[in-house]
Amino acid sequence: MRKIWIIRFSDGTIGSCYGTRSGATEIAELRKEDYGGSYTIEGGRNDGERT
């Protein structure tokens, strides 16, 4: 299921990713060296679409 994930990097940068948690993790891994070396993934909220 696709959801909105928030990526918080250790330097304070915040990003978001629409998709799966594993997709958000892939993006965070690619970007972590640019933004402080570590990250936390939060969220998993739905994309706002009503069910």
Side-chain angles (χ1 to χ4, degrees):
M1 178 183 252
R2 293 180 173 264
K3 296 184 176 187
I4 299 170
W5 300 94
I6 304 301
I7 305 168
R8 296 182 185 273
F9 292 95
S10 59
D11 73 346
T13 302
I14 299 173
S16 64
C17 176
Y18 175 73
T20 62
R21 184 178 180 92
S22 62
T25 301
E26 277 187 51
I27 290 171
E29 282 292 322
L30 291 171
R31 302 282 187 232
K32 74 178 181 181
E33 294 307 317
D34 296 332
Y35 299 112
S38 64
Y39 60 88
T40 302
I41 296 178
E42 302 172 356
R45 296 182 177 92
N46 70 25
D47 60 7
E49 191 174 302
R50 294 179 188 210
T51 56

